[in-house]
Short mmCIF file of all heavy atoms in Angstrom, two decimals:
data_model
loop_
_atom_site.label_atom_id
_atom_site.label_comp_id
_atom_site.label_asym_id
_atom_site.label_seq_id
_atom_site.Cartn_x
_atom_site.Cartn_y
_atom_site.Cartn_z
N MET H 1 -8.84 4.27 -22.67
CA MET H 1 -8.40 3.17 -21.88
C MET H 1 -8.14 3.67 -20.38
O MET H 1 -7.53 4.63 -20.17
CB MET H 1 -7.20 2.59 -22.47
CG MET H 1 -6.78 1.21 -22.00
SD MET H 1 -5.40 0.52 -22.82
CE MET H 1 -4.46 -0.11 -21.59
N MET H 2 -8.69 2.88 -19.48
CA MET H 2 -8.52 3.20 -18.11
C MET H 2 -7.30 2.65 -17.50
O MET H 2 -6.91 1.43 -17.77
CB MET H 2 -9.69 2.72 -17.24
CG MET H 2 -11.02 3.37 -17.70
SD MET H 2 -11.69 4.47 -16.38
CE MET H 2 -11.57 3.44 -14.88
N LEU H 3 -6.60 3.28 -16.75
CA LEU H 3 -5.42 2.80 -16.04
C LEU H 3 -6.01 1.93 -14.85
O LEU H 3 -6.72 2.44 -14.03
CB LEU H 3 -4.54 3.87 -15.54
CG LEU H 3 -3.48 4.39 -16.51
CD1 LEU H 3 -2.71 5.57 -15.85
CD2 LEU H 3 -2.45 3.24 -16.84
N GLN H 4 -5.44 0.79 -14.75
CA GLN H 4 -5.97 -0.08 -13.70
C GLN H 4 -4.86 -0.06 -12.46
O GLN H 4 -4.12 -0.96 -12.29
CB GLN H 4 -6.10 -1.55 -14.01
CG GLN H 4 -7.23 -1.72 -15.01
CD GLN H 4 -8.61 -1.50 -14.36
OE1 GLN H 4 -8.86 -1.88 -13.30
NE2 GLN H 4 -9.49 -0.63 -14.99
N THR H 5 -4.82 1.08 -11.75
CA THR H 5 -4.02 1.21 -10.67
C THR H 5 -4.72 1.18 -9.43
O THR H 5 -5.84 1.70 -9.38
CB THR H 5 -3.14 2.44 -10.77
OG1 THR H 5 -4.00 3.53 -10.90
CG2 THR H 5 -2.10 2.41 -11.87
N THR H 6 -4.27 0.56 -8.39
CA THR H 6 -4.98 0.52 -7.12
C THR H 6 -4.22 1.48 -6.22
O THR H 6 -3.04 1.47 -6.01
CB THR H 6 -4.81 -0.83 -6.50
OG1 THR H 6 -5.32 -1.81 -7.42
CG2 THR H 6 -5.68 -0.86 -5.05
N VAL H 7 -4.97 2.43 -5.72
CA VAL H 7 -4.48 3.43 -4.82
C VAL H 7 -4.91 3.05 -3.41
O VAL H 7 -5.99 2.73 -3.09
CB VAL H 7 -5.03 4.85 -5.23
CG1 VAL H 7 -4.51 5.91 -4.28
CG2 VAL H 7 -4.65 5.21 -6.69
N HIS H 8 -3.95 3.18 -2.46
CA HIS H 8 -4.25 2.99 -1.07
C HIS H 8 -3.99 4.29 -0.29
O HIS H 8 -3.08 4.98 -0.60
CB HIS H 8 -3.40 1.88 -0.50
CG HIS H 8 -3.63 0.57 -1.23
ND1 HIS H 8 -2.80 -0.07 -2.16
CD2 HIS H 8 -4.54 -0.37 -0.85
CE1 HIS H 8 -3.40 -1.16 -2.44
NE2 HIS H 8 -4.35 -1.54 -1.65
N VAL H 9 -4.87 4.47 0.66
CA VAL H 9 -4.54 5.45 1.64
C VAL H 9 -4.51 4.83 3.01
O VAL H 9 -4.91 3.75 3.21
CB VAL H 9 -5.74 6.52 1.66
CG1 VAL H 9 -5.66 7.42 0.40
CG2 VAL H 9 -7.09 5.97 1.80
N ALA H 10 -3.84 5.62 3.99
CA ALA H 10 -3.63 5.02 5.28
C ALA H 10 -4.93 5.39 6.03
O ALA H 10 -5.59 6.42 5.97
CB ALA H 10 -2.49 5.63 5.99
N ALA H 11 -5.27 4.45 6.97
CA ALA H 11 -6.45 4.60 7.86
C ALA H 11 -6.07 4.14 9.24
O ALA H 11 -5.38 3.12 9.43
CB ALA H 11 -7.63 3.83 7.33
N LEU H 12 -6.43 4.94 10.21
CA LEU H 12 -6.07 4.59 11.61
C LEU H 12 -7.20 3.70 12.27
O LEU H 12 -8.35 4.21 12.32
CB LEU H 12 -5.78 5.91 12.40
CG LEU H 12 -5.20 5.72 13.64
CD1 LEU H 12 -3.79 5.04 13.72
CD2 LEU H 12 -5.07 7.04 14.39
N GLY H 13 -6.78 2.56 12.69
CA GLY H 13 -7.79 1.66 13.33
C GLY H 13 -7.96 2.05 14.84
O GLY H 13 -7.24 2.96 15.39
N ARG H 14 -8.81 1.43 15.41
CA ARG H 14 -9.01 1.63 16.90
C ARG H 14 -8.05 0.81 17.74
O ARG H 14 -7.85 -0.29 17.40
CB ARG H 14 -10.50 1.32 17.22
CG ARG H 14 -11.42 2.59 16.93
CD ARG H 14 -12.75 2.32 17.51
NE ARG H 14 -13.42 1.18 16.91
CZ ARG H 14 -14.64 0.80 17.16
NH1 ARG H 14 -15.25 1.32 18.08
NH2 ARG H 14 -15.21 -0.30 16.64
N ALA H 15 -7.71 1.42 18.81
CA ALA H 15 -6.82 0.61 19.78
C ALA H 15 -7.80 -0.47 20.40
O ALA H 15 -8.86 -0.26 20.75
CB ALA H 15 -6.41 1.48 20.85
N GLN H 16 -7.21 -1.71 20.49
CA GLN H 16 -7.95 -2.77 21.08
C GLN H 16 -7.25 -3.36 22.28
O GLN H 16 -6.15 -3.88 22.09
CB GLN H 16 -8.20 -3.85 19.99
CG GLN H 16 -9.18 -3.43 18.89
CD GLN H 16 -9.27 -4.54 17.85
OE1 GLN H 16 -8.55 -5.33 17.61
NE2 GLN H 16 -10.40 -4.51 17.19
N GLY H 17 -7.81 -3.30 23.42
CA GLY H 17 -7.21 -3.77 24.70
C GLY H 17 -5.86 -2.98 24.82
O GLY H 17 -5.79 -1.73 24.89
N ARG H 18 -4.83 -3.71 24.95
CA ARG H 18 -3.57 -3.16 25.21
C ARG H 18 -2.78 -2.93 23.90
O ARG H 18 -1.64 -2.42 23.92
CB ARG H 18 -2.66 -4.07 26.10
CG ARG H 18 -3.20 -3.94 27.68
CD ARG H 18 -2.22 -4.73 28.48
NE ARG H 18 -2.25 -6.22 28.25
CZ ARG H 18 -1.45 -7.04 28.62
NH1 ARG H 18 -0.44 -6.68 29.38
NH2 ARG H 18 -1.60 -8.42 28.34
N THR H 19 -3.44 -3.24 22.87
CA THR H 19 -2.68 -3.13 21.52
C THR H 19 -3.07 -1.68 21.01
O THR H 19 -4.25 -1.22 20.98
CB THR H 19 -3.25 -4.07 20.50
OG1 THR H 19 -3.12 -5.38 20.98
CG2 THR H 19 -2.49 -3.88 19.12
N GLU H 20 -2.01 -0.92 20.74
CA GLU H 20 -2.36 0.46 20.39
C GLU H 20 -2.84 0.56 18.94
O GLU H 20 -2.75 -0.48 18.13
CB GLU H 20 -1.02 1.34 20.39
CG GLU H 20 0.13 0.79 19.54
CD GLU H 20 1.38 1.73 19.65
OE1 GLU H 20 1.18 2.86 19.55
OE2 GLU H 20 2.42 1.07 19.88
N ALA H 21 -3.43 1.59 18.49
CA ALA H 21 -4.14 1.78 17.20
C ALA H 21 -3.02 1.50 16.09
O ALA H 21 -1.92 2.03 16.18
CB ALA H 21 -4.74 3.11 17.07
N LEU H 22 -3.35 0.75 15.10
CA LEU H 22 -2.54 0.48 14.03
C LEU H 22 -3.01 1.19 12.73
O LEU H 22 -4.20 1.53 12.55
CB LEU H 22 -2.54 -1.10 13.72
CG LEU H 22 -1.97 -1.93 14.83
CD1 LEU H 22 -2.24 -3.37 14.37
CD2 LEU H 22 -0.48 -1.69 14.91
N TRP H 23 -2.01 1.45 11.85
CA TRP H 23 -2.39 2.02 10.58
C TRP H 23 -2.71 0.98 9.67
O TRP H 23 -1.89 -0.03 9.47
CB TRP H 23 -1.14 2.89 10.06
CG TRP H 23 -0.95 4.07 10.75
CD1 TRP H 23 -0.15 4.35 11.79
CD2 TRP H 23 -1.64 5.28 10.56
NE1 TRP H 23 -0.20 5.69 12.11
CE2 TRP H 23 -1.28 6.34 11.36
CE3 TRP H 23 -2.73 5.66 9.68
CZ2 TRP H 23 -1.74 7.55 11.44
CZ3 TRP H 23 -3.23 6.92 9.63
CH2 TRP H 23 -2.69 7.95 10.54
N HIS H 24 -3.77 1.00 8.98
CA HIS H 24 -4.32 0.04 8.02
C HIS H 24 -4.30 0.70 6.60
O HIS H 24 -4.14 1.88 6.43
CB HIS H 24 -5.67 -0.48 8.27
CG HIS H 24 -5.83 -1.16 9.61
ND1 HIS H 24 -5.68 -2.54 9.68
CD2 HIS H 24 -5.95 -0.72 10.80
CE1 HIS H 24 -5.76 -2.87 10.89
NE2 HIS H 24 -6.00 -1.78 11.71
N ALA H 25 -4.35 -0.17 5.52
CA ALA H 25 -4.50 0.34 4.22
C ALA H 25 -5.93 0.19 3.70
O ALA H 25 -6.62 -0.71 3.98
CB ALA H 25 -3.64 -0.46 3.24
N VAL H 26 -6.50 1.27 3.05
CA VAL H 26 -7.72 1.21 2.51
C VAL H 26 -7.62 1.42 0.97
O VAL H 26 -6.94 2.33 0.48
CB VAL H 26 -8.70 2.32 3.09
CG1 VAL H 26 -10.00 2.42 2.34
CG2 VAL H 26 -8.99 1.98 4.65
N GLU H 27 -8.27 0.50 0.20
CA GLU H 27 -8.31 0.77 -1.23
C GLU H 27 -9.15 1.88 -1.62
O GLU H 27 -10.34 1.81 -1.19
CB GLU H 27 -8.78 -0.56 -1.89
CG GLU H 27 -7.70 -1.37 -2.45
CD GLU H 27 -8.11 -2.63 -3.28
OE1 GLU H 27 -9.08 -2.41 -3.98
OE2 GLU H 27 -7.66 -3.71 -3.01
N LEU H 28 -8.68 2.67 -2.37
CA LEU H 28 -9.37 3.90 -2.72
C LEU H 28 -10.15 3.62 -4.07
O LEU H 28 -9.61 3.43 -5.10
CB LEU H 28 -8.41 5.06 -2.94
CG LEU H 28 -8.99 6.35 -2.57
CD1 LEU H 28 -9.50 6.49 -1.17
CD2 LEU H 28 -7.80 7.49 -2.82
N HIS H 29 -11.57 3.81 -4.02
CA HIS H 29 -12.46 3.72 -5.20
C HIS H 29 -13.09 4.93 -5.40
O HIS H 29 -13.85 4.98 -6.39
CB HIS H 29 -13.41 2.44 -4.99
CG HIS H 29 -12.71 1.19 -4.80
ND1 HIS H 29 -12.02 0.44 -5.72
CD2 HIS H 29 -12.73 0.52 -3.69
CE1 HIS H 29 -11.56 -0.64 -5.26
NE2 HIS H 29 -11.89 -0.73 -3.95
N ARG H 30 -13.02 5.83 -4.56
CA ARG H 30 -13.61 7.23 -4.70
C ARG H 30 -12.68 8.28 -4.45
O ARG H 30 -11.64 8.06 -3.84
CB ARG H 30 -14.78 7.24 -3.58
CG ARG H 30 -15.97 6.40 -3.82
CD ARG H 30 -16.98 6.60 -2.76
NE ARG H 30 -16.68 5.90 -1.55
CZ ARG H 30 -17.18 6.32 -0.36
NH1 ARG H 30 -17.88 7.46 -0.33
NH2 ARG H 30 -16.85 5.67 0.77
N PRO H 31 -13.06 9.57 -4.79
CA PRO H 31 -12.05 10.59 -4.45
C PRO H 31 -11.93 10.70 -3.06
O PRO H 31 -12.81 10.57 -2.23
CB PRO H 31 -12.86 11.89 -5.15
CG PRO H 31 -13.76 11.30 -6.17
CD PRO H 31 -14.17 10.00 -5.67
N VAL H 32 -10.75 10.94 -2.78
CA VAL H 32 -10.23 10.90 -1.28
C VAL H 32 -11.02 12.06 -0.50
O VAL H 32 -11.22 11.93 0.62
CB VAL H 32 -8.77 11.06 -1.17
CG1 VAL H 32 -8.25 12.44 -1.47
CG2 VAL H 32 -8.32 10.72 0.19
N THR H 33 -11.40 13.03 -1.27
CA THR H 33 -12.10 14.20 -0.54
C THR H 33 -13.51 13.72 -0.12
O THR H 33 -14.06 14.21 0.86
CB THR H 33 -12.33 15.34 -1.40
OG1 THR H 33 -12.75 14.84 -2.73
CG2 THR H 33 -11.10 16.09 -1.71
N GLU H 34 -14.05 12.61 -0.72
CA GLU H 34 -15.37 12.12 -0.35
C GLU H 34 -15.29 11.22 0.89
O GLU H 34 -16.28 11.01 1.57
CB GLU H 34 -15.98 11.30 -1.49
CG GLU H 34 -16.56 12.12 -2.56
CD GLU H 34 -17.18 11.34 -3.53
OE1 GLU H 34 -17.66 10.12 -3.20
OE2 GLU H 34 -17.26 11.79 -4.82
N ILE H 35 -14.07 10.72 1.25
CA ILE H 35 -14.02 9.75 2.32
C ILE H 35 -13.16 10.30 3.52
O ILE H 35 -12.75 9.61 4.39
CB ILE H 35 -13.48 8.39 1.93
CG1 ILE H 35 -12.05 8.49 1.24
CG2 ILE H 35 -14.45 7.67 0.96
CD1 ILE H 35 -11.39 7.30 0.99
N ASP H 36 -12.99 11.55 3.40
CA ASP H 36 -12.24 12.27 4.45
C ASP H 36 -12.87 12.09 5.91
O ASP H 36 -13.96 12.39 6.11
CB ASP H 36 -12.12 13.74 4.26
CG ASP H 36 -11.17 14.36 5.18
OD1 ASP H 36 -10.46 13.78 5.89
OD2 ASP H 36 -10.99 15.63 5.10
N GLY H 37 -12.12 11.34 6.73
CA GLY H 37 -12.72 11.03 8.03
C GLY H 37 -13.65 10.00 8.13
O GLY H 37 -14.17 9.66 9.25
N ALA H 38 -13.99 9.29 7.02
CA ALA H 38 -14.98 8.18 7.06
C ALA H 38 -14.34 6.94 7.53
O ALA H 38 -13.24 6.67 7.26
CB ALA H 38 -15.78 8.14 5.71
N CYS H 39 -15.27 5.95 8.04
CA CYS H 39 -14.72 4.72 8.44
C CYS H 39 -14.91 3.85 7.18
O CYS H 39 -16.01 3.74 6.69
CB CYS H 39 -15.48 4.04 9.53
SG CYS H 39 -14.61 4.67 11.15
N GLU H 40 -13.86 3.22 6.68
CA GLU H 40 -13.82 2.34 5.46
C GLU H 40 -13.29 0.96 5.73
O GLU H 40 -12.57 0.78 6.67
CB GLU H 40 -13.06 2.93 4.41
CG GLU H 40 -13.56 4.30 3.81
CD GLU H 40 -14.64 3.95 2.88
OE1 GLU H 40 -14.63 3.06 2.17
OE2 GLU H 40 -15.66 4.81 2.84
N LEU H 41 -13.70 -0.01 5.04
CA LEU H 41 -13.24 -1.36 5.13
C LEU H 41 -11.71 -1.40 4.67
O LEU H 41 -11.44 -0.99 3.57
CB LEU H 41 -14.07 -2.36 4.30
CG LEU H 41 -13.74 -3.80 4.61
CD1 LEU H 41 -14.20 -4.17 6.09
CD2 LEU H 41 -14.66 -4.63 3.62
N THR H 42 -10.93 -1.91 5.52
CA THR H 42 -9.46 -1.92 5.19
C THR H 42 -9.16 -3.13 4.34
O THR H 42 -10.00 -4.16 4.23
CB THR H 42 -8.62 -1.98 6.38
OG1 THR H 42 -8.87 -3.15 7.09
CG2 THR H 42 -9.03 -0.79 7.36
N VAL H 43 -7.92 -3.22 3.79
CA VAL H 43 -7.53 -4.31 3.06
C VAL H 43 -7.68 -5.65 3.76
O VAL H 43 -7.87 -6.61 3.29
CB VAL H 43 -6.13 -4.04 2.49
CG1 VAL H 43 -5.43 -5.30 1.85
CG2 VAL H 43 -6.12 -2.84 1.57
N CYS H 44 -7.41 -5.63 5.13
CA CYS H 44 -7.28 -6.75 6.07
C CYS H 44 -8.69 -7.12 6.66
O CYS H 44 -8.84 -8.09 7.22
CB CYS H 44 -6.33 -6.70 7.04
SG CYS H 44 -6.79 -5.40 8.39
N GLY H 45 -9.65 -6.35 6.22
CA GLY H 45 -11.06 -6.68 6.68
C GLY H 45 -11.58 -5.93 7.83
O GLY H 45 -12.67 -6.33 8.39
N SER H 46 -10.87 -5.06 8.43
CA SER H 46 -11.37 -4.37 9.59
C SER H 46 -11.84 -3.02 9.20
O SER H 46 -11.79 -2.55 8.12
CB SER H 46 -10.31 -4.38 10.70
OG SER H 46 -9.19 -3.63 10.18
N LEU H 47 -12.27 -2.22 10.22
CA LEU H 47 -12.73 -0.88 9.80
C LEU H 47 -11.78 0.10 10.46
O LEU H 47 -11.28 -0.02 11.56
CB LEU H 47 -14.17 -0.64 10.47
CG LEU H 47 -15.34 -1.20 9.64
CD1 LEU H 47 -16.62 -1.07 10.57
CD2 LEU H 47 -15.48 -0.50 8.25
N ALA H 48 -11.49 1.23 9.61
CA ALA H 48 -10.62 2.20 10.24
C ALA H 48 -10.96 3.48 9.55
O ALA H 48 -11.61 3.52 8.48
CB ALA H 48 -9.04 1.80 9.83
N ARG H 49 -10.51 4.61 10.23
CA ARG H 49 -10.87 5.90 9.94
C ARG H 49 -9.89 6.38 8.82
O ARG H 49 -8.61 6.50 9.19
CB ARG H 49 -10.94 6.80 10.99
CG ARG H 49 -11.56 8.13 10.77
CD ARG H 49 -11.77 8.91 12.02
NE ARG H 49 -12.69 8.34 12.79
CZ ARG H 49 -14.17 8.50 12.81
NH1 ARG H 49 -14.58 9.30 11.83
NH2 ARG H 49 -14.88 7.87 13.63
N VAL H 50 -10.25 6.76 7.62
CA VAL H 50 -9.39 7.14 6.59
C VAL H 50 -8.71 8.53 7.06
O VAL H 50 -9.40 9.42 7.49
CB VAL H 50 -10.13 7.32 5.23
CG1 VAL H 50 -9.21 7.92 4.27
CG2 VAL H 50 -10.49 5.92 4.87
N THR H 51 -7.37 8.59 6.76
CA THR H 51 -6.55 9.87 7.01
C THR H 51 -5.96 10.24 5.79
O THR H 51 -4.87 9.69 5.53
CB THR H 51 -5.68 9.61 8.23
OG1 THR H 51 -6.36 9.02 9.35
CG2 THR H 51 -5.05 10.91 8.62
N PRO H 52 -6.63 11.04 4.90
CA PRO H 52 -6.05 11.22 3.65
C PRO H 52 -4.64 11.87 3.64
O PRO H 52 -3.97 11.70 2.66
CB PRO H 52 -7.08 12.26 3.06
CG PRO H 52 -8.30 12.06 3.72
CD PRO H 52 -7.90 11.68 5.08
N GLU H 53 -4.39 12.73 4.71
CA GLU H 53 -3.00 13.31 4.60
C GLU H 53 -1.89 12.37 4.94
O GLU H 53 -0.64 12.62 4.75
CB GLU H 53 -2.95 14.45 5.61
CG GLU H 53 -3.31 14.05 7.06
CD GLU H 53 -4.70 14.27 7.36
OE1 GLU H 53 -5.62 14.06 6.54
OE2 GLU H 53 -5.06 14.51 8.55
N GLU H 54 -2.19 11.06 5.34
CA GLU H 54 -1.28 10.06 5.40
C GLU H 54 -1.24 9.14 4.31
O GLU H 54 -2.23 8.54 3.89
CB GLU H 54 -1.55 9.22 6.85
CG GLU H 54 -1.62 10.13 8.11
CD GLU H 54 -0.24 10.56 8.48
OE1 GLU H 54 0.79 10.03 7.99
OE2 GLU H 54 -0.18 11.55 9.25
N SER H 55 -0.09 8.97 3.78
CA SER H 55 -0.01 8.00 2.51
C SER H 55 0.35 6.64 2.99
O SER H 55 0.77 6.35 4.09
CB SER H 55 1.08 8.51 1.64
OG SER H 55 2.43 8.54 2.35
N TRP H 56 0.04 5.70 2.08
CA TRP H 56 0.48 4.30 2.15
C TRP H 56 1.37 4.00 1.11
O TRP H 56 1.09 4.39 -0.01
CB TRP H 56 -0.92 3.49 2.16
CG TRP H 56 -0.66 2.03 2.38
CD1 TRP H 56 -0.28 1.02 1.56
CD2 TRP H 56 -0.65 1.37 3.76
NE1 TRP H 56 -0.09 -0.12 2.22
CE2 TRP H 56 -0.25 0.04 3.53
CE3 TRP H 56 -0.94 1.83 5.07
CZ2 TRP H 56 -0.23 -0.79 4.57
CZ3 TRP H 56 -0.94 1.04 6.20
CH2 TRP H 56 -0.50 -0.39 5.95
N PRO H 57 2.40 3.08 1.32
CA PRO H 57 2.77 2.45 2.51
C PRO H 57 3.29 3.40 3.56
O PRO H 57 3.89 4.41 3.26
CB PRO H 57 3.66 1.33 2.04
CG PRO H 57 4.37 2.05 0.79
CD PRO H 57 3.27 2.82 0.14
N ARG H 58 3.18 2.92 4.67
CA ARG H 58 3.69 3.58 5.95
C ARG H 58 4.80 2.76 6.38
O ARG H 58 4.98 1.68 6.29
CB ARG H 58 2.67 3.85 7.06
CG ARG H 58 1.62 4.80 6.62
CD ARG H 58 0.70 5.11 7.83
NE ARG H 58 1.46 5.42 9.05
CZ ARG H 58 1.78 6.77 9.29
NH1 ARG H 58 1.46 7.71 8.39
NH2 ARG H 58 2.38 7.01 10.32
N THR H 59 5.78 3.45 7.17
CA THR H 59 6.88 2.76 7.82
C THR H 59 6.71 2.97 9.29
O THR H 59 5.97 3.85 9.74
CB THR H 59 8.20 3.30 7.37
OG1 THR H 59 8.16 4.69 7.49
CG2 THR H 59 8.46 2.90 5.90
N GLY H 60 7.27 2.10 10.09
CA GLY H 60 7.23 2.19 11.54
C GLY H 60 6.61 0.98 12.16
O GLY H 60 6.20 0.04 11.41
N GLY H 61 6.60 0.94 13.35
CA GLY H 61 6.12 -0.28 14.09
C GLY H 61 4.64 -0.38 14.30
O GLY H 61 4.22 -1.25 14.86
N ASP H 62 3.91 0.76 13.94
CA ASP H 62 2.49 0.69 14.24
C ASP H 62 1.70 0.45 13.00
O ASP H 62 0.62 1.03 12.78
CB ASP H 62 2.11 2.13 14.80
CG ASP H 62 2.49 3.28 14.05
OD1 ASP H 62 3.28 3.06 13.05
OD2 ASP H 62 2.08 4.37 14.43
N VAL H 63 2.19 -0.30 12.08
CA VAL H 63 1.59 -0.58 10.91
C VAL H 63 0.97 -1.92 10.86
O VAL H 63 1.71 -2.97 11.35
CB VAL H 63 2.48 -0.54 9.56
CG1 VAL H 63 1.79 -0.96 8.31
CG2 VAL H 63 3.08 0.92 9.49
N CYS H 64 -0.27 -2.19 10.56
CA CYS H 64 -0.96 -3.48 10.48
C CYS H 64 -0.12 -4.47 9.65
O CYS H 64 0.05 -4.14 8.37
CB CYS H 64 -2.33 -3.32 9.89
SG CYS H 64 -3.20 -4.92 9.57
N PRO H 65 0.30 -5.54 10.17
CA PRO H 65 1.10 -6.55 9.38
C PRO H 65 0.34 -7.13 8.24
O PRO H 65 0.86 -7.41 7.16
CB PRO H 65 1.61 -7.63 10.32
CG PRO H 65 0.73 -7.39 11.63
CD PRO H 65 0.28 -5.90 11.53
N ALA H 66 -0.94 -7.33 8.37
CA ALA H 66 -1.80 -7.93 7.32
C ALA H 66 -1.93 -6.97 6.18
O ALA H 66 -1.77 -7.39 5.09
CB ALA H 66 -3.12 -8.33 7.88
N CYS H 67 -2.23 -5.73 6.48
CA CYS H 67 -2.26 -4.79 5.43
C CYS H 67 -1.05 -4.59 4.58
O CYS H 67 -0.95 -4.42 3.42
CB CYS H 67 -2.89 -3.40 5.91
SG CYS H 67 -4.65 -3.44 6.21
N ASP H 68 0.08 -4.57 5.49
CA ASP H 68 1.41 -4.44 4.86
C ASP H 68 1.70 -5.51 3.86
O ASP H 68 2.15 -5.35 2.86
CB ASP H 68 2.43 -4.45 6.02
CG ASP H 68 3.73 -3.81 5.73
OD1 ASP H 68 3.71 -2.96 4.65
OD2 ASP H 68 4.76 -4.32 6.14
N ALA H 69 1.46 -6.80 4.32
CA ALA H 69 1.61 -7.95 3.44
C ALA H 69 0.70 -7.99 2.23
O ALA H 69 1.22 -8.29 1.06
CB ALA H 69 1.45 -9.26 4.27
N LEU H 70 -0.63 -7.58 2.33
CA LEU H 70 -1.46 -7.59 1.28
C LEU H 70 -1.29 -6.56 0.29
O LEU H 70 -1.69 -6.63 -0.86
CB LEU H 70 -2.94 -7.54 1.81
CG LEU H 70 -3.49 -8.74 2.56
CD1 LEU H 70 -4.83 -8.46 3.38
CD2 LEU H 70 -3.70 -9.81 1.51
N THR H 71 -0.57 -5.46 0.56
CA THR H 71 -0.32 -4.39 -0.37
C THR H 71 1.02 -4.43 -0.95
O THR H 71 1.37 -3.53 -1.66
CB THR H 71 -0.75 -2.99 0.25
OG1 THR H 71 0.09 -2.74 1.43
CG2 THR H 71 -2.24 -2.93 0.66
N ALA H 72 1.82 -5.31 -0.41
CA ALA H 72 3.27 -5.31 -0.82
C ALA H 72 3.34 -5.73 -2.32
O ALA H 72 2.63 -6.48 -2.72
CB ALA H 72 3.99 -6.23 0.07
ZN1 ZN X 1 -5.00 -4.00 8.41
#
């Protein structure tokens, strides 16, 4: 029997205009070693670079509010 757990990793999005880069959540479907540094689709639907050494959820003011709400 498989455990149905959803694992998220943190991914850093690109800064847009005057908005600084935000941390997004990416659902992990592959071993994290395979997506190290890759751009993946985030929970909120944008693209961000996966940073495996950063865990999700994150705290602080630079977290994507949509990803935060969707993974809560
Ligand atoms: Zn997001």
Side-chain angles (χ1 to χ4, degrees):
M1 189 175 144
M2 295 247 313
L3 271 175
Q4 294 292 317
T5 50
T6 306
V7 177
H8 294 98
V9 288
L12 191 59
R14 275 187 297 177
Q16 291 179 331
R18 285 185 294 164
T19 307
E20 62 182 307
L22 292 174
W23 286 100
H24 297 267
V26 170
E27 258 182 47
L28 209 57
H29 301 290
R30 291 183 279 154
V32 71
T33 49
E34 283 184 25
I35 56 170
D36 189 3
C39 274
E40 291 283 324
L41 193 64
T42 66
V43 173
C44 70
S46 59
L47 282 172
R49 191 172 295 274
V50 172
T51 310
E53 59 266 29
E54 301 289 343
S55 61
W56 186 272
R58 291 183 56 83
T59 53
D62 56 351
V63 175
C64 169
C67 283
D68 196 31
L70 286 166
T71 59

